[in-house]
Amino acid sequence: AVWFLSLGVLTRWTIVAHHVCHGGFDKCDTGGRYHRFTFGVGSVYRRCVDWLDWMLVEAWNVEHNQLHHYSLGEDSDPDLVERNLDNLRQMPALLAPVKYLVIAFLTVTWKWFYYAPNTFKVLSLNRMRREADPRLDKLSTQLQEDPCVVGDWHFLLGPSSLFFSNVEFFVRVLGPFFTTRFLLLPAAAAAA
C-alpha cells in the first residue's frame, strides 16, 4: 500500500501538477480548476485537493517556472546539481563511501530535505522583492542563490531565518503533507 501511495504522489506531481503549473491545461479547462494560477493555491483545502506534496505549489511555480526554466544550466538556476553538490564533488576520492551514503540519503529525502525549503526560500525572496523589503538589500547575491536545506538555519538562527521562520516553514509547507500522510492516514487505516 505504501508503494501505491508513493506512486500516486509521484504521478500527481509529474503527470498532472507539472503540466498544469506550466499552463498546459489553461485553455482546456473552462472551470479554472486546472489553471496554472489557481491550481493548488489559495488555501490548505485547495492544496490538499489539487496537489498535496512536500512543497507549496506557489513556491514551486516561482522556483521551477521562473528561475529554473529561465536560467537552465546557468549559475542562477536553483536546480543546478553541479553547484548545489559542489562540496560533495570536491571531497577527496578516499571519502567515496561517504559520498555514496550522502547520495543515498538525498535520493530518498530530497523533496522535504532540499526542495521544500529551497522553493519556499525562493518564494520568500520573490515576495520580499515585490514588497521592496529593506532586508533584501542586506542579503548578498551568493546568499540569495545558495541552496537552502532543512537544518541550514540551525532551527533558531542562520541564513534561512532571514527568509522565513521555522514555524512558518514547518506549519505551512511540511505540515499539511506530513499530517495527512503520516498521522491521519495511518490513524484511519488503524481504525478500519
Side-chain angles (χ1 to χ4, degrees):
V2 72
W3 294 108
F4 288 116
L5 286 172
S6 178
L7 181 64
V9 169
L10 178 70
T11 57
R12 187 82 175 151
W13 178 34
T14 57
I15 296 173
V16 179
H18 185 264
H19 295 90
V20 171
C21 290
H22 274 303
F25 295 106
D26 285 0
K27 294 181 182 174
C28 301
D29 177 32
T30 57
R33 178 173 177 198
Y34 294 99
H35 192 278
R36 71 177 130 184
F37 296 124
T38 58
F39 184 77
V41 298
S43 69
V44 174
Y45 173 77
R46 220 31 297 142
R47 182 178 173 199
C48 290
V49 169
D50 290 341
W51 177 33
L52 182 62
D53 210 321
W54 286 112
M55 61 215 128
L56 284 176
V57 179
E58 54 269 36
W60 188 82
N61 283 338
V62 172
E63 192 271 357
H64 184 78
N65 292 348
Q66 293 176 17
L67 298 179
H68 172 66
H69 277 292
Y70 284 99
S71 49
L72 220 50
E74 298 173 13
D75 282 338
S76 55
D77 180 354
D79 293 337
L80 189 61
V81 177
E82 295 85 21
R83 186 198 64 226
N84 294 345
L85 294 177
D86 190 54
N87 290 340
L88 191 65
R89 292 174 60 225
Q90 299 301 325
M91 291 173 81
L94 179 66
L95 297 175
V98 173
K99 288 182 178 184
Y100 288 118
L101 285 172
V102 169
I103 294 300
F105 171 78
L106 292 174
T107 300
V108 296
T109 63
W110 71 276
K111 253 189 185 178
W112 64 263
F113 182 75
Y114 161 76
Y115 217 45
N118 206 51
T119 57
F120 196 54
K121 177 190 110 171
V122 167
L123 178 68
S124 299
L125 279 168
N126 185 283
R127 186 180 320 117
M128 291 168 84
R129 282 186 193 98
R130 281 182 294 145
E131 296 171 357
D133 191 320
R135 294 178 300 162
L136 197 56
D137 296 333
K138 298 174 186 172
L139 303 174
S140 68
T141 304
Q142 181 72 30
L143 187 60
Q144 292 180 43
E145 291 179 357
D146 277 350
C148 170
V149 297
V150 169
D152 265 358
W153 56 94
H154 309 292
F155 296 99
L156 289 176
L157 302 170
S160 299
S161 62
L162 300 170
F163 308 111
F164 51 83
S165 72
N166 292 313
V167 172
E168 182 183 19
F169 175 69
F170 285 104
V171 170
R172 189 168 167 218
V173 180
L174 297 183
F177 187 80
F178 180 83
T179 301
T180 56
R181 293 298 194 262
F182 296 97
L183 300 176
L184 297 177
L185 198 57

